[in-house]
Each structure stands twice: as C-alpha cells, then as structure tokens.
Amino acid sequence: MVADIIDGKAIAQNIRQELKEEVTAISQKGSTKSPGLAVILVGSRRDSQTYVNMKKKACAECGIQSFGYDYPENATDDEIIRCVQNLNKNPDCHGILVQLPLPKHMDEEKVLDSILPEKDVDGLHPLNVAALTSTSTHGQRLDWSKLANIPFPIACTPQGCIELLDRSGVALKGKRAVVIGRSNLVGIPVAMLLMHRDATVTIVHSKTENTPEVVREADVVIAAVGRASLVKGEWLKPGAVVIDVGINSLDDATKKRGYRLVGDCDYDSCKEVAGKITPVPGGVGPMTIACLMRNTVSAFKRKQVMDAARTKN
C-alpha cells in the first residue's frame, strides 16, 4: 500500500479562491468596507519576516486589506500593547496578528491577551480558547461540521488540520484519533476540534507509556510535537490517515540552502502503511495561512452583523 497524498497547497488555494469570491460578492452588494488584517512584527528573524510576507501576499490575493507594523528587537511590551490597543479601536481592522515568537524579553501572554477576542484571528485569546473547550452540554450545540460558521476565531493550524481531513473525505465520527503533542498552539485545540466532531481522542505526550502501541490504535494520527521523523511506519495501523504538522530542518549538504525540511513523521516509511498522508512541506503549512485569511473574513462578517443590529436599534 502506498498512501494517497493530501495536497495542502491545492486545498489551501481552493479556500483562498473561495474567500476571494466571497469578498468580491460583499463588495458587489454595495459594502464600502472590506476585511482588514493587521500584522505586528517585532525583531528581524528571517523566518518571521518570510511568514509575514506570505500573509501579506495571501491578503492581496483574497482582497483583504493588510496593515503592517514593524518594531525593532528591543521593543517593549508597552509599545506593542499600545499598537494593539489602537488597532482594537480601528474600525478598518478586523483581525490582529502578532507574529510569534516574540523576543525573549517580552511577555508573550500579556501582549496576546491585549487583543480584543473578536479581533484575535490567531484564536489564542483565553476567551476564544475557553469557547473552543466548551461542549455546550446544557445549551444549544454549535454545528462543528462547518468551521467557517463557528462564532469565534479558531486557531489556524488546528483548523487547517480538520479542513484537510474534511476536504479529503475522511469521516471522523466514531473514529479513533491520536494527537501527538499537547501544545496550546496545536495539540490541545486540534484534540478539542476532533472531539467536537465526535472522534474518540487520545493525546500522546512525553510521559505517555508505550507510545507506538497507542498510535497503532488510531484511524487518524495528527503529529505536532516538533521532533523530526519521530513517527515510524511501524507505529501506524494500515490505512490510517496521517496529518503531519511538524516542520523541522535537517542539515543536508546536497541542498542549495544547506538543509531540508522534514515533518514529525518518517515520511518514507509512513507512506507505505498509511491510507492518506500530508507531505512536509506542502501539507499543513499552506492551510495555516488560508485559515488565517478565513478567520479575518469571518471576523469582518460578524462585525457587519453587529453593526447592522446596532443600526436597527
């Protein structure tokens, strides 16, 4: 068996095209406003600059206004928070993203918490995280089959993982899913999304015993631990679906840039056992940016609904 490749680039491009059409339709209905995303970059990390440029390019493609705010490495928490507070008040800005990681001297949590929850398009504000963890046991349940319609921002990478599964025809209800890694950025939120879709979820972490045996029970494996080629083909149940979130660089003198990118899964052995698998690069990465664009458009639409309600009253 050789796994089918889940093409994250193609799926992300489809989402971006859908968003472009949606923004165009909003404009054609007579709206004088368009979605706006502000990206704050602190320092001069080359990788962060690359990611910011990719986000600006995606904004242009989707018809989203982008606002860039660049600060030096020695910027203070107060400087960045003041910028965030101004953007919180800016009616043309519907989403605010602070590019991570911040310099070591900064209080990342304090800065991120200063973003209004409705403009937190990264889905990292405590109120948005709390909303994600609520199962609404005693209230009206949300329709988790359409993540674009959830009334609060969902973290982009976990959202992208679920979108890859949905658009690849992978059913989740009743399936066993194993998430490898328990980070706040990916592991915990993607586990919650899987649970909302009625999967039976196990989180594997550094203290888990007999990890290969646990993973081998899974119909769906999401690896997000940041360890190059950790998951081997022999860990997998034949036909399992593998979503590899990891992006790790390994020295490689045969490459022009001197390194190559690999995931958390040993791709060569895993593809011989899995039913479907994402490559690295070209799998989850493009989906993160596509879902950031979608969160921004969704934030804009929610703001339009709120403004219309205020006008009526």
Short mmCIF file of all heavy atoms in Angstrom, two decimals, residues 123-186:
data_model
loop_
_atom_site.label_atom_id
_atom_site.label_comp_id
_atom_site.label_asym_id
_atom_site.label_seq_id
_atom_site.Cartn_x
_atom_site.Cartn_y
_atom_site.Cartn_z
N GLY A 123 -6.79 32.98 17.28
CA GLY A 123 -7.56 32.10 18.16
C GLY A 123 -6.86 31.76 19.46
O GLY A 123 -7.11 30.71 20.04
N LEU A 124 -6.00 32.68 19.95
CA LEU A 124 -5.20 32.38 21.14
C LEU A 124 -5.66 33.11 22.39
O LEU A 124 -5.14 32.86 23.48
CB LEU A 124 -3.73 32.74 20.86
CG LEU A 124 -3.07 31.99 19.70
CD1 LEU A 124 -1.63 32.48 19.51
CD2 LEU A 124 -3.10 30.49 19.94
N HIS A 125 -6.63 34.02 22.26
CA HIS A 125 -7.12 34.74 23.44
C HIS A 125 -7.80 33.76 24.39
O HIS A 125 -8.49 32.82 23.94
CB HIS A 125 -8.09 35.84 23.02
CG HIS A 125 -8.44 36.78 24.12
ND1 HIS A 125 -9.35 36.46 25.12
CD2 HIS A 125 -8.00 38.04 24.40
CE1 HIS A 125 -9.46 37.48 25.96
NE2 HIS A 125 -8.65 38.45 25.53
N PRO A 126 -7.63 33.93 25.71
CA PRO A 126 -8.23 32.98 26.67
C PRO A 126 -9.73 32.77 26.47
O PRO A 126 -10.22 31.65 26.65
CB PRO A 126 -7.94 33.63 28.03
CG PRO A 126 -6.70 34.44 27.81
CD PRO A 126 -6.79 34.94 26.41
N LEU A 127 -10.46 33.81 26.09
CA LEU A 127 -11.90 33.66 25.90
C LEU A 127 -12.21 32.79 24.68
O LEU A 127 -13.17 32.00 24.70
CB LEU A 127 -12.57 35.03 25.76
CG LEU A 127 -12.61 35.89 27.03
CD1 LEU A 127 -13.29 37.22 26.76
CD2 LEU A 127 -13.33 35.15 28.17
N ASN A 128 -11.40 32.90 23.65
CA ASN A 128 -11.62 32.06 22.46
C ASN A 128 -11.20 30.62 22.73
O ASN A 128 -11.84 29.69 22.25
CB ASN A 128 -10.85 32.63 21.27
CG ASN A 128 -11.44 33.95 20.79
OD1 ASN A 128 -12.65 34.15 20.85
ND2 ASN A 128 -10.59 34.86 20.33
N VAL A 129 -10.12 30.45 23.50
CA VAL A 129 -9.70 29.10 23.89
C VAL A 129 -10.78 28.45 24.75
O VAL A 129 -11.13 27.27 24.56
CB VAL A 129 -8.36 29.14 24.64
CG1 VAL A 129 -8.01 27.76 25.19
CG2 VAL A 129 -7.25 29.65 23.73
N ALA A 130 -11.36 29.23 25.69
CA ALA A 130 -12.42 28.71 26.55
C ALA A 130 -13.65 28.31 25.73
O ALA A 130 -14.28 27.28 25.98
CB ALA A 130 -12.79 29.75 27.61
N ALA A 131 -13.98 29.14 24.74
CA ALA A 131 -15.14 28.83 23.88
C ALA A 131 -14.92 27.52 23.12
O ALA A 131 -15.84 26.72 22.95
CB ALA A 131 -15.39 29.98 22.91
N LEU A 132 -13.68 27.29 22.68
CA LEU A 132 -13.36 26.07 21.96
C LEU A 132 -13.51 24.84 22.84
O LEU A 132 -13.91 23.77 22.38
CB LEU A 132 -11.93 26.15 21.41
CG LEU A 132 -11.41 24.92 20.67
CD1 LEU A 132 -12.24 24.65 19.43
CD2 LEU A 132 -9.94 25.09 20.31
N THR A 133 -13.21 24.97 24.13
CA THR A 133 -13.26 23.82 25.03
C THR A 133 -14.65 23.53 25.56
O THR A 133 -14.88 22.49 26.17
CB THR A 133 -12.31 24.01 26.22
OG1 THR A 133 -12.70 25.18 26.96
CG2 THR A 133 -10.87 24.18 25.76
N SER A 134 -15.60 24.43 25.30
CA SER A 134 -16.96 24.21 25.79
C SER A 134 -17.69 23.22 24.90
O SER A 134 -17.71 23.36 23.67
CB SER A 134 -17.72 25.54 25.83
OG SER A 134 -19.09 25.30 26.15
N THR A 135 -18.32 22.24 25.52
CA THR A 135 -19.09 21.25 24.76
C THR A 135 -20.58 21.60 24.70
O THR A 135 -21.36 20.85 24.10
CB THR A 135 -18.93 19.85 25.37
OG1 THR A 135 -19.35 19.89 26.74
CG2 THR A 135 -17.49 19.39 25.28
N SER A 136 -20.96 22.71 25.34
CA SER A 136 -22.36 23.16 25.33
C SER A 136 -23.32 22.03 25.71
O SER A 136 -24.38 21.86 25.11
CB SER A 136 -22.74 23.71 23.94
OG SER A 136 -21.89 24.76 23.57
N THR A 137 -22.92 21.29 26.73
CA THR A 137 -23.72 20.13 27.16
C THR A 137 -25.15 20.53 27.52
O THR A 137 -26.10 19.80 27.23
CB THR A 137 -23.05 19.45 28.37
OG1 THR A 137 -21.71 19.14 28.03
CG2 THR A 137 -23.78 18.17 28.73
N HIS A 138 -25.31 21.69 28.14
CA HIS A 138 -26.64 22.09 28.63
C HIS A 138 -27.22 23.26 27.83
O HIS A 138 -28.14 23.93 28.29
CB HIS A 138 -26.55 22.47 30.11
CG HIS A 138 -26.00 21.37 30.97
ND1 HIS A 138 -26.68 20.19 31.18
CD2 HIS A 138 -24.84 21.26 31.65
CE1 HIS A 138 -25.96 19.40 31.96
NE2 HIS A 138 -24.83 20.02 32.26
N GLY A 139 -26.68 23.50 26.66
CA GLY A 139 -27.20 24.58 25.83
C GLY A 139 -27.26 24.17 24.38
O GLY A 139 -27.13 22.99 24.03
N GLN A 140 -27.47 25.15 23.51
CA GLN A 140 -27.55 24.86 22.09
C GLN A 140 -26.16 24.54 21.55
O GLN A 140 -25.23 25.32 21.70
CB GLN A 140 -28.13 26.07 21.35
CG GLN A 140 -28.34 25.81 19.86
CD GLN A 140 -29.01 26.98 19.18
OE1 GLN A 140 -29.35 27.97 19.82
NE2 GLN A 140 -29.22 26.87 17.87
N ARG A 141 -26.03 23.41 20.90
CA ARG A 141 -24.73 22.98 20.39
C ARG A 141 -24.44 23.64 19.06
O ARG A 141 -25.33 23.85 18.23
CB ARG A 141 -24.69 21.46 20.24
CG ARG A 141 -24.81 20.71 21.55
CD ARG A 141 -24.40 19.26 21.38
NE ARG A 141 -22.99 19.13 21.05
CZ ARG A 141 -22.38 17.96 20.84
NH1 ARG A 141 -23.08 16.84 20.89
NH2 ARG A 141 -21.10 17.92 20.56
N LEU A 142 -23.18 23.97 18.85
CA LEU A 142 -22.75 24.55 17.59
C LEU A 142 -22.62 23.46 16.53
O LEU A 142 -22.42 22.29 16.84
CB LEU A 142 -21.40 25.25 17.77
CG LEU A 142 -21.36 26.43 18.74
CD1 LEU A 142 -19.93 26.91 18.93
CD2 LEU A 142 -22.25 27.56 18.25
N ASP A 143 -22.72 23.88 15.28
CA ASP A 143 -22.54 22.95 14.16
C ASP A 143 -21.05 22.94 13.80
O ASP A 143 -20.58 23.78 13.04
CB ASP A 143 -23.39 23.40 12.97
CG ASP A 143 -23.22 22.47 11.77
OD1 ASP A 143 -22.52 21.43 11.90
OD2 ASP A 143 -23.77 22.77 10.69
N TRP A 144 -20.34 21.96 14.33
CA TRP A 144 -18.89 21.91 14.14
C TRP A 144 -18.50 21.32 12.78
O TRP A 144 -17.32 21.22 12.47
CB TRP A 144 -18.26 21.09 15.27
CG TRP A 144 -18.29 21.82 16.56
CD1 TRP A 144 -19.23 21.70 17.55
CD2 TRP A 144 -17.37 22.81 17.01
NE1 TRP A 144 -18.95 22.56 18.58
CE2 TRP A 144 -17.80 23.24 18.28
CE3 TRP A 144 -16.22 23.38 16.47
CZ2 TRP A 144 -17.13 24.22 19.01
CZ3 TRP A 144 -15.53 24.34 17.19
CH2 TRP A 144 -15.99 24.76 18.44
N SER A 145 -19.50 20.98 11.96
CA SER A 145 -19.18 20.45 10.64
C SER A 145 -18.78 21.57 9.68
O SER A 145 -18.20 21.30 8.62
CB SER A 145 -20.36 19.68 10.06
OG SER A 145 -21.45 20.56 9.79
N LYS A 146 -19.06 22.82 10.05
CA LYS A 146 -18.71 23.97 9.21
C LYS A 146 -17.94 24.98 10.06
O LYS A 146 -18.53 25.87 10.68
CB LYS A 146 -19.97 24.60 8.61
CG LYS A 146 -20.73 23.66 7.69
CD LYS A 146 -21.99 24.32 7.14
CE LYS A 146 -22.75 23.35 6.23
NZ LYS A 146 -24.01 23.94 5.72
N LEU A 147 -16.63 24.83 10.07
CA LEU A 147 -15.81 25.66 10.96
C LEU A 147 -15.88 27.14 10.61
O LEU A 147 -15.71 27.99 11.48
CB LEU A 147 -14.35 25.18 10.92
CG LEU A 147 -14.11 23.75 11.45
CD1 LEU A 147 -12.62 23.44 11.47
CD2 LEU A 147 -14.71 23.56 12.84
N ALA A 148 -16.16 27.46 9.35
CA ALA A 148 -16.24 28.86 8.94
C ALA A 148 -17.41 29.57 9.62
O ALA A 148 -17.41 30.80 9.72
CB ALA A 148 -16.37 28.97 7.43
N ASN A 149 -18.39 28.81 10.10
CA ASN A 149 -19.58 29.41 10.70
C ASN A 149 -19.54 29.44 12.23
O ASN A 149 -20.49 29.92 12.86
CB ASN A 149 -20.83 28.65 10.25
CG ASN A 149 -21.06 28.78 8.76
OD1 ASN A 149 -20.59 29.72 8.13
ND2 ASN A 149 -21.79 27.83 8.18
N ILE A 150 -18.48 28.93 12.82
CA ILE A 150 -18.35 28.99 14.28
C ILE A 150 -18.20 30.45 14.69
O ILE A 150 -17.43 31.20 14.08
CB ILE A 150 -17.13 28.15 14.75
CG1 ILE A 150 -17.35 26.67 14.40
CG2 ILE A 150 -16.89 28.32 16.25
CD1 ILE A 150 -18.53 26.02 15.06
N PRO A 151 -18.92 30.92 15.72
CA PRO A 151 -19.00 32.36 16.02
C PRO A 151 -17.81 32.94 16.80
O PRO A 151 -17.97 33.97 17.46
CB PRO A 151 -20.29 32.46 16.82
CG PRO A 151 -20.40 31.15 17.52
CD PRO A 151 -19.87 30.14 16.54
N PHE A 152 -16.67 32.32 16.74
CA PHE A 152 -15.47 32.87 17.36
C PHE A 152 -14.26 32.31 16.62
O PHE A 152 -14.35 31.28 15.94
CB PHE A 152 -15.40 32.51 18.85
CG PHE A 152 -15.50 31.03 19.14
CD1 PHE A 152 -14.38 30.20 19.07
CD2 PHE A 152 -16.71 30.46 19.47
CE1 PHE A 152 -14.47 28.85 19.32
CE2 PHE A 152 -16.82 29.10 19.72
CZ PHE A 152 -15.70 28.29 19.64
N PRO A 153 -13.11 32.99 16.71
CA PRO A 153 -11.93 32.52 15.96
C PRO A 153 -11.38 31.21 16.53
O PRO A 153 -11.31 31.03 17.74
CB PRO A 153 -10.92 33.66 16.14
CG PRO A 153 -11.71 34.84 16.60
CD PRO A 153 -12.86 34.28 17.37
N ILE A 154 -10.99 30.32 15.63
CA ILE A 154 -10.37 29.05 15.98
C ILE A 154 -8.92 29.08 15.51
O ILE A 154 -8.64 29.55 14.40
CB ILE A 154 -11.10 27.87 15.32
CG1 ILE A 154 -12.56 27.82 15.77
CG2 ILE A 154 -10.40 26.55 15.63
CD1 ILE A 154 -13.40 26.82 15.00
N ALA A 155 -8.00 28.61 16.34
CA ALA A 155 -6.58 28.60 15.99
C ALA A 155 -6.38 28.05 14.59
O ALA A 155 -6.99 27.04 14.20
CB ALA A 155 -5.80 27.79 17.01
N CYS A 156 -5.51 28.71 13.82
CA CYS A 156 -5.43 28.47 12.37
C CYS A 156 -4.89 27.09 12.01
O CYS A 156 -5.46 26.41 11.14
CB CYS A 156 -4.57 29.55 11.72
SG CYS A 156 -5.18 31.22 12.00
N THR A 157 -3.81 26.65 12.64
CA THR A 157 -3.22 25.36 12.27
C THR A 157 -4.15 24.19 12.62
O THR A 157 -4.38 23.31 11.77
CB THR A 157 -1.83 25.19 12.90
OG1 THR A 157 -0.97 26.23 12.42
CG2 THR A 157 -1.22 23.85 12.53
N PRO A 158 -4.72 24.15 13.83
CA PRO A 158 -5.68 23.08 14.12
C PRO A 158 -6.88 23.10 13.16
O PRO A 158 -7.34 22.05 12.71
CB PRO A 158 -6.11 23.38 15.56
CG PRO A 158 -4.95 24.11 16.14
CD PRO A 158 -4.41 24.95 15.03
N GLN A 159 -7.37 24.29 12.86
CA GLN A 159 -8.48 24.42 11.92
C GLN A 159 -8.08 23.86 10.55
O GLN A 159 -8.86 23.16 9.90
CB GLN A 159 -8.86 25.91 11.80
CG GLN A 159 -10.06 26.18 10.93
CD GLN A 159 -10.38 27.67 10.84
OE1 GLN A 159 -11.14 28.07 9.96
NE2 GLN A 159 -9.84 28.48 11.73
N GLY A 160 -6.84 24.16 10.14
CA GLY A 160 -6.35 23.67 8.86
C GLY A 160 -6.27 22.15 8.82
O GLY A 160 -6.56 21.53 7.79
N CYS A 161 -5.90 21.54 9.94
CA CYS A 161 -5.83 20.07 10.01
C CYS A 161 -7.20 19.45 9.76
O CYS A 161 -7.33 18.48 8.99
CB CYS A 161 -5.31 19.64 11.38
SG CYS A 161 -3.58 20.04 11.72
N ILE A 162 -8.22 20.00 10.41
CA ILE A 162 -9.57 19.45 10.25
C ILE A 162 -10.07 19.68 8.82
O ILE A 162 -10.71 18.81 8.22
CB ILE A 162 -10.53 20.09 11.27
CG1 ILE A 162 -10.05 19.83 12.71
CG2 ILE A 162 -11.95 19.56 11.07
CD1 ILE A 162 -9.92 18.37 13.08
N GLU A 163 -9.74 20.85 8.28
CA GLU A 163 -10.16 21.15 6.91
C GLU A 163 -9.52 20.17 5.92
O GLU A 163 -10.16 19.74 4.95
CB GLU A 163 -9.78 22.58 6.56
CG GLU A 163 -10.57 23.18 5.42
CD GLU A 163 -12.03 23.44 5.78
OE1 GLU A 163 -12.32 23.89 6.90
OE2 GLU A 163 -12.88 23.15 4.91
N LEU A 164 -8.26 19.82 6.14
CA LEU A 164 -7.60 18.83 5.28
C LEU A 164 -8.32 17.49 5.34
O LEU A 164 -8.52 16.84 4.30
CB LEU A 164 -6.14 18.65 5.72
CG LEU A 164 -5.16 19.75 5.36
CD1 LEU A 164 -3.82 19.51 6.05
CD2 LEU A 164 -4.96 19.86 3.85
N LEU A 165 -8.71 17.09 6.52
CA LEU A 165 -9.44 15.82 6.67
C LEU A 165 -10.79 15.89 5.96
O LEU A 165 -11.16 14.97 5.22
CB LEU A 165 -9.61 15.50 8.16
CG LEU A 165 -8.33 15.18 8.93
CD1 LEU A 165 -8.59 15.17 10.43
CD2 LEU A 165 -7.76 13.84 8.49
N ASP A 166 -11.53 16.98 6.19
CA ASP A 166 -12.86 17.12 5.59
C ASP A 166 -12.78 17.09 4.07
O ASP A 166 -13.56 16.40 3.41
CB ASP A 166 -13.50 18.43 6.05
CG ASP A 166 -14.02 18.37 7.47
OD1 ASP A 166 -14.12 17.25 8.02
OD2 ASP A 166 -14.34 19.44 8.03
N ARG A 167 -11.85 17.86 3.54
CA ARG A 167 -11.78 18.00 2.08
C ARG A 167 -11.10 16.81 1.41
O ARG A 167 -11.02 16.77 0.19
CB ARG A 167 -11.11 19.32 1.72
CG ARG A 167 -11.93 20.54 2.17
CD ARG A 167 -11.37 21.84 1.68
NE ARG A 167 -12.14 22.96 2.20
CZ ARG A 167 -12.59 23.98 1.47
NH1 ARG A 167 -12.35 24.02 0.17
NH2 ARG A 167 -13.27 24.95 2.03
N SER A 168 -10.62 15.89 2.23
CA SER A 168 -10.07 14.65 1.69
C SER A 168 -11.01 13.48 1.90
O SER A 168 -10.64 12.32 1.69
CB SER A 168 -8.71 14.36 2.35
OG SER A 168 -7.79 15.40 2.09
N GLY A 169 -12.23 13.78 2.37
CA GLY A 169 -13.24 12.75 2.52
C GLY A 169 -13.05 11.83 3.70
O GLY A 169 -13.52 10.69 3.69
N VAL A 170 -12.36 12.30 4.74
CA VAL A 170 -12.10 11.47 5.92
C VAL A 170 -13.20 11.69 6.95
O VAL A 170 -13.38 12.79 7.47
CB VAL A 170 -10.73 11.81 6.54
CG1 VAL A 170 -10.49 10.96 7.79
CG2 VAL A 170 -9.63 11.59 5.51
N ALA A 171 -13.97 10.66 7.24
CA ALA A 171 -15.01 10.73 8.27
C ALA A 171 -14.38 10.63 9.65
O ALA A 171 -13.44 9.86 9.86
CB ALA A 171 -16.01 9.60 8.06
N LEU A 172 -14.86 11.42 10.59
CA LEU A 172 -14.29 11.45 11.93
C LEU A 172 -15.21 10.86 12.99
O LEU A 172 -14.73 10.37 14.02
CB LEU A 172 -13.93 12.90 12.32
CG LEU A 172 -12.79 13.53 11.50
CD1 LEU A 172 -12.66 15.01 11.83
CD2 LEU A 172 -11.48 12.80 11.76
N LYS A 173 -16.50 10.89 12.77
CA LYS A 173 -17.45 10.42 13.78
C LYS A 173 -17.18 8.97 14.15
O LYS A 173 -17.15 8.08 13.30
CB LYS A 173 -18.87 10.58 13.26
CG LYS A 173 -19.94 10.25 14.29
CD LYS A 173 -21.33 10.54 13.75
CE LYS A 173 -22.39 10.28 14.80
NZ LYS A 173 -23.75 10.60 14.30
N GLY A 174 -16.96 8.73 15.44
CA GLY A 174 -16.73 7.38 15.92
C GLY A 174 -15.35 6.82 15.70
O GLY A 174 -15.03 5.72 16.15
N LYS A 175 -14.48 7.57 15.02
CA LYS A 175 -13.13 7.09 14.73
C LYS A 175 -12.19 7.36 15.91
O LYS A 175 -12.40 8.26 16.70
CB LYS A 175 -12.57 7.76 13.47
CG LYS A 175 -13.41 7.55 12.22
CD LYS A 175 -13.47 6.09 11.83
CE LYS A 175 -14.24 5.90 10.54
NZ LYS A 175 -14.34 4.49 10.15
N ARG A 176 -11.15 6.54 15.97
CA ARG A 176 -10.11 6.77 16.98
C ARG A 176 -9.07 7.71 16.41
O ARG A 176 -8.52 7.47 15.33
CB ARG A 176 -9.45 5.45 17.37
CG ARG A 176 -10.33 4.56 18.24
CD ARG A 176 -9.57 3.34 18.72
NE ARG A 176 -10.34 2.58 19.68
CZ ARG A 176 -10.34 2.80 20.99
NH1 ARG A 176 -9.60 3.77 21.48
NH2 ARG A 176 -11.06 2.05 21.81
N ALA A 177 -8.80 8.79 17.15
CA ALA A 177 -7.80 9.77 16.72
C ALA A 177 -6.75 9.91 17.80
O ALA A 177 -7.08 9.99 18.99
CB ALA A 177 -8.46 11.12 16.44
N VAL A 178 -5.49 9.92 17.39
CA VAL A 178 -4.39 10.15 18.32
C VAL A 178 -3.68 11.43 17.92
O VAL A 178 -3.28 11.59 16.76
CB VAL A 178 -3.40 8.97 18.33
CG1 VAL A 178 -2.12 9.35 19.06
CG2 VAL A 178 -4.03 7.76 19.02
N VAL A 179 -3.56 12.35 18.87
CA VAL A 179 -2.82 13.60 18.68
C VAL A 179 -1.50 13.46 19.42
O VAL A 179 -1.48 13.19 20.63
CB VAL A 179 -3.60 14.81 19.22
CG1 VAL A 179 -2.79 16.08 19.06
CG2 VAL A 179 -4.94 14.93 18.50
N ILE A 180 -0.41 13.61 18.70
CA ILE A 180 0.92 13.50 19.33
C ILE A 180 1.42 14.92 19.59
O ILE A 180 1.74 15.67 18.67
CB ILE A 180 1.90 12.75 18.41
CG1 ILE A 180 1.32 11.39 18.03
CG2 ILE A 180 3.25 12.57 19.10
CD1 ILE A 180 2.16 10.62 17.01
N GLY A 181 1.45 15.29 20.87
CA GLY A 181 1.82 16.65 21.28
C GLY A 181 0.66 17.33 21.98
O GLY A 181 -0.49 17.15 21.59
N ARG A 182 0.97 18.11 23.00
CA ARG A 182 -0.10 18.74 23.80
C ARG A 182 0.12 20.25 23.96
O ARG A 182 -0.17 20.83 24.99
CB ARG A 182 -0.18 18.08 25.17
CG ARG A 182 1.14 18.01 25.92
CD ARG A 182 0.99 17.35 27.28
NE ARG A 182 2.28 17.07 27.91
CZ ARG A 182 2.41 16.53 29.11
NH1 ARG A 182 1.35 16.21 29.82
NH2 ARG A 182 3.62 16.29 29.60
N SER A 183 0.64 20.88 22.91
CA SER A 183 0.89 22.32 22.98
C SER A 183 -0.42 23.09 22.92
O SER A 183 -1.44 22.62 22.41
CB SER A 183 1.78 22.77 21.82
OG SER A 183 1.06 22.75 20.60
N ASN A 184 -0.37 24.34 23.43
CA ASN A 184 -1.53 25.22 23.36
C ASN A 184 -1.82 25.67 21.93
O ASN A 184 -2.95 26.01 21.59
CB ASN A 184 -1.32 26.45 24.24
CG ASN A 184 -1.36 26.10 25.72
OD1 ASN A 184 -2.04 25.17 26.13
ND2 ASN A 184 -0.63 26.86 26.52
N LEU A 185 -0.78 25.67 21.09
CA LEU A 185 -0.93 26.17 19.72
C LEU A 185 -1.60 25.15 18.81
O LEU A 185 -2.38 25.51 17.93
CB LEU A 185 0.42 26.56 19.14
CG LEU A 185 1.09 27.80 19.74
CD1 LEU A 185 2.46 28.00 19.10
CD2 LEU A 185 0.23 29.03 19.55
N VAL A 186 -1.28 23.86 19.00
CA VAL A 186 -1.81 22.84 18.08
C VAL A 186 -2.44 21.66 18.82
O VAL A 186 -3.61 21.34 18.61
CB VAL A 186 -0.71 22.32 17.12
CG1 VAL A 186 -1.33 21.29 16.15
CG2 VAL A 186 -0.06 23.45 16.34
#
